[in-house]
């Protein structure tokens, strides 16, 4: 008998690369280096969109990123985030730390979609729901009309998010059939829903300023995507060119940043500038604006969706003011060279920062969920002379939890209607009388005033590379090509 020989494979060979170089994404939670915040250090294979995914994980857990450093080299990324919890403290809850480890550090790749419900990681959302995505021109009361149309179609609104900016509206909603409480799969029923909503949106798709049809308006009813709702809202707003709306503007880097004067009503505006770094082959995007929650996510999301890659960057916030700096290239390897391209990028980033800012009156309502509840709520608001400019709607068990930012039907602030206790109490009583048992609170939200120019945070990517990444990355396994 001939002896057959075959090569021997060490069963531990497949783990050799990981033992030498570590997993493709590693995270270190450091609570010892600093007294006032926690360092989250991420070492990862460089793939498109991974920075956005990591930032989303942190912001979805209601963590504040007060400072960050980003650096890439030879296909490898290093991120350092200075974070605090929602109470402005270091991370001490082991469940939060474990969630960060689970979402970023213990898997070979960052998942395409992560959702957090009460800070607990859930799998890809909305597979049991039908998704509706709408974008187009906005008008006072449009969100109320959309809610009424869905109620007429006998569907439950499980979750909905709507933004308005520069006379544009973007809305993402997840619905179920009222009778089965499950995803709608009948193509005839889906077509009926889409046609009904198209009628509502079609009447609105003319800009009130220039009386022209809004470009890029769209409506889709069907299976939910794995892209998170916030990112889809940014994408939908970009598609209808909200950066070209009536309040859009382009600011040169030599202008004094808006928002530093307490008397300036345009304090939420951002200063965005783009410079060339020809010796390194990068374009440098610099941003100065008021600080607010989820600011870094909005900026990184927009840069990513415009098909640019971030190679280095740093962010800092202090005294209500934020500064961000990113070294970018287009995915084809080119920098931002032409003046037209620079102007386009500046406008898109300004819009991304502005569209989530809603200073003024915020209404929070909680009631037993039922068919048509959202339609009834928005109708009552409209009958009280209020238009919804931003909405976040979700169901928690048997309860519907809604948050609305409102203005009057002419688009003006309604602060005076709620500053006087008697008017505020009268409004709450009128809503409860119409809606029945409901928890309603009225809040006035004001973005904190930024610090003076002398106290704004200062940094540069060059200083970051020299003094931070080398020092803070010493816990990582070195990578060799």
């Amino acid at each position: 008998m001939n002896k057959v020989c075959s090569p021997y494979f060490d069963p531990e060979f497949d783990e050799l690369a990981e033992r030498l170089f570590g997993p493709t994404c590693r995270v270190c939670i450091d609570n010892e280096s600093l007294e006032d915040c926690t360092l989250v250090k991420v070492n990862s294979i460089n793939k498109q969109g991974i920075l956005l995914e990591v930032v989303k994980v942190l912001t979805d857990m209601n963590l504040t990123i007060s400072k960050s450093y980003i650096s890439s080299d030879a296909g490898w990324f290093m991120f350092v985030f200075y974070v605090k919890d929602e109470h402005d403290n270091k991370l001490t809850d082991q469940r939060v730390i474990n969630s960060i480890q689970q979402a970023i550090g213990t898997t070979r790749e960052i998942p395409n979609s992560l959702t957090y419900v009460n800070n607990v990681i859930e799998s890809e959302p909305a597979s049991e729901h039908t998704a509706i995505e709408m974008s187009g021109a906005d008008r006072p009361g449009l969100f109320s009309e959309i809610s009424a149309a869905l109620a007429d179609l006998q569907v439950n609104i499980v979750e909905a998010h709507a933004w308005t900016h520069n006379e544009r509206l973007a809305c993402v909603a997840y619905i179920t059939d009222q009778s089965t409480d499950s995803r709608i799969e009948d193509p005839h029923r889906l077509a009926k829903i889409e046609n009904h909503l198209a009628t509502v949106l079609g009447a609105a798709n003319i800009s009130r300023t220039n009386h022209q049809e809004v470009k890029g308006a769209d409506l889709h009813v069907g299976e939910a995507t794995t892209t998170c709702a916030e990112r889809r809202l940014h994408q939908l707003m970009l598609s209808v060119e909200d950066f070209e709306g009536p309040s859009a503007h382009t600011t040169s880097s030599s202008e004094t940043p808006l928002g530093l004067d307490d008397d300036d009503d345009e304090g939420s505006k951002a200063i965005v500038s783009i410079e060339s770094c020809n010796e390194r082959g990068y374009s440098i995007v610099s941003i100065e604006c008021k600080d607010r929650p989820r600011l870094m996510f909005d900026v990184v999301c927009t840069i990513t969706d415009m098909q640019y890659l971030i190679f280095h960057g740093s962010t800092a916030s202090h005294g209500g003011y934020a500064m961000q700096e990113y070294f970018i290239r287009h995915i084809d390897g080119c920098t931002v060279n032409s003046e037209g391209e620079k102007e386009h990028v500046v406008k898109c980033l300004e819009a991304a920062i502005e569209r989530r800012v809603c200073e003024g009156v915020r209404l929070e309502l909680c009631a037993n969920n039922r068919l048509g509840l959202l339609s009834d709520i928005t109708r009552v608001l409209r009958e009280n002379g209020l238009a919804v400019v931003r909405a976040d709607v979700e169901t928690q068990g048997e309860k519907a939890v809604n948050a609305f930012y409102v203005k009057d039907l002419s688009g003006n602030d309604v602060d005076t209607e709620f500053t006087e206790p008697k008017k505020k109490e009268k409004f709450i009583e009128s809503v409860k009388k119409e809606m029945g048992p409901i928890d309603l609170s009225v809040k006035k939200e004001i973005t904190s005033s930024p610090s003076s120019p002398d106290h704004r945070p200062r940094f540069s990517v060059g200083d970051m590379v020299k003094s931070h990444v080398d020092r803070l990355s010493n816990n990582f396994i070195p990578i060799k090509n």
Side-chain angles (χ1 to χ4, degrees), residues 70-189:
I70 304 156
S71 183
S72 65
D73 183 31
W76 202 257
F77 242 135
M78 288 185 291
F79 314 130
V80 180
F81 300 96
Y82 294 59
V83 302
K84 297 180 181 181
D85 64 19
E86 55 188 328
H87 304 295
D88 205 34
N89 299 318
K90 296 174 67 172
L91 307 186
T92 57
D93 189 335
Q94 191 59 43
R95 293 174 300 176
V96 174
I97 294 174
N98 291 343
S99 294
I100 296 173
Q101 294 280 359
Q102 180 184 352
I104 304 174
T106 60
T107 57
R108 290 181 176 268
E109 293 187 3
I110 298 294
N112 288 331
S113 180
L114 291 171
T115 300
Y116 291 84
V117 179
N118 295 327
N119 289 342
V120 177
I121 298 177
E122 298 287 334
S123 57
E124 294 182 353
S127 60
E128 69 276 18
H129 306 143
T130 298
I132 300 176
E133 297 181 351
M134 297 166 275
S135 59
D138 184 35
R139 70 166 182 265
L142 178 57
F143 186 71
S144 176
E145 293 178 29
I146 293 171
S147 304
L150 292 175
D152 292 341
L153 291 164
Q154 298 294 300
V155 298
N156 295 318
I157 301 175
V158 179
E159 183 179 348
H161 305 278
W163 291 354
T164 63
H165 179 242
N166 282 344
E167 297 186 356
R168 307 291 197 272
L169 171 129
C171 179
V172 175
Y174 302 104
I175 64 172
T176 59
D177 183 83
Q178 190 271 334
S179 59
T180 64
D181 199 28
S182 61
R183 182 174 59 188
I184 301 171
E185 298 182 346
D186 181 1
H188 298 290
R189 181 88 184 279

Side-chain angles (χ1 to χ4, degrees), residues 273-288:
S273 63
I274 300 178
E275 300 176 0
S276 298
C277 181
N278 295 325
E279 64 274 15
R280 297 292 183 181
Y282 297 115
S283 295
I284 307 173
V285 177
S286 300
I287 298 170
E288 302 180 20

Side-chain angles (χ1 to χ4, degrees), residues 101-375:
Q101 294 280 359
Q102 180 184 352
I104 304 174
T106 60
T107 57
R108 290 181 176 268
E109 293 187 3
I110 298 294
N112 288 331
S113 180
L114 291 171
T115 300
Y116 291 84
V117 179
N118 295 327
N119 289 342
V120 177
I121 298 177
E122 298 287 334
S123 57
E124 294 182 353
S127 60
E128 69 276 18
H129 306 143
T130 298
I132 300 176
E133 297 181 351
M134 297 166 275
S135 59
D138 184 35
R139 70 166 182 265
L142 178 57
F143 186 71
S144 176
E145 293 178 29
I146 293 171
S147 304
L150 292 175
D152 292 341
L153 291 164
Q154 298 294 300
V155 298
N156 295 318
I157 301 175
V158 179
E159 183 179 348
H161 305 278
W163 291 354
T164 63
H165 179 242
N166 282 344
E167 297 186 356
R168 307 291 197 272
L169 171 129
C171 179
V172 175
Y174 302 104
I175 64 172
T176 59
D177 183 83
Q178 190 271 334
S179 59
T180 64
D181 199 28
S182 61
R183 182 174 59 188
I184 301 171
E185 298 182 346
D186 181 1
H188 298 290
R189 181 88 184 279
L190 293 174
K192 181 180 179 180
I193 294 173
E194 188 164 336
N195 291 335
H196 198 105
L197 291 175
T199 301
V200 175
L201 293 174
N205 200 36
I206 302 296
S207 171
R208 301 196 307 275
T209 300
N210 55 26
H211 306 291
Q212 296 180 358
E213 187 172 354
V214 171
K215 297 179 182 179
D218 194 19
L219 169 64
H220 169 75
V221 180
E223 187 175 352
T225 67
T226 58
T227 304
C228 71
E230 286 179 310
R231 187 174 183 182
R232 283 301 295 145
L233 289 169
H234 278 298
Q235 292 171 345
L236 291 170
M237 279 297 194
L238 279 175
S239 70
V240 292
E241 300 182 353
D242 70 323
F243 51 86
E244 296 290 2
S247 67
H249 67 283
T250 302
T251 310
S252 67
S253 58
S254 61
E255 293 184 64
T256 301
L258 296 172
L260 298 179
D261 186 350
D262 291 338
D263 296 328
D264 190 352
D265 293 332
E266 300 295 325
S268 62
K269 300 293 184 181
I271 299 298
V272 182
S273 63
I274 300 178
E275 300 176 0
S276 298
C277 181
N278 295 325
E279 64 274 15
R280 297 292 183 181
Y282 297 115
S283 295
I284 307 173
V285 177
S286 300
I287 298 170
E288 302 180 20
C289 63
K290 281 186 176 183
D291 192 24
R292 61 167 175 78
R294 309 188 81 83
L295 176 63
M296 187 177 182
F297 172 85
D298 292 339
V299 171
V300 173
C301 177
T302 301
I303 292 175
T304 302
D305 286 336
M306 288 193 296
Q307 303 297 299
Y308 292 98
L309 303 177
I310 297 174
F311 290 87
H312 304 283
S314 56
T315 70
S317 60
H318 179 71
Y321 202 85
M323 297 183 69
Q324 301 185 10
E325 186 176 75
Y326 302 100
F327 280 39
I328 69 170
R329 295 187 191 126
H330 196 267
I331 57 173
D332 61 10
C334 298
T335 58
V336 184
N337 293 321
S338 70
E339 290 302 316
E341 186 180 5
K342 287 183 179 180
E343 181 179 351
H344 177 73
V345 173
V346 166
K347 285 184 176 181
C348 288
L349 288 174
E350 287 176 339
I353 295 168
E354 293 171 5
R355 64 175 65 113
R356 197 196 287 266
V357 175
C358 287
E359 294 185 347
V361 175
R362 171 185 168 98
L363 306 180
E364 296 179 354
L365 303 95
C366 181
N368 291 327
N369 193 26
R370 58 174 174 80
L371 178 66
L373 176 64
L374 182 60
S375 173

Side-chain angles (χ1 to χ4, degrees), residues 465-476:
V465 173
K466 292 179 182 178
S467 63
H468 289 276
V469 171
D470 288 343
R471 175 172 59 86
L472 294 173
S473 63
N474 54 16
N475 290 330
F476 296 128

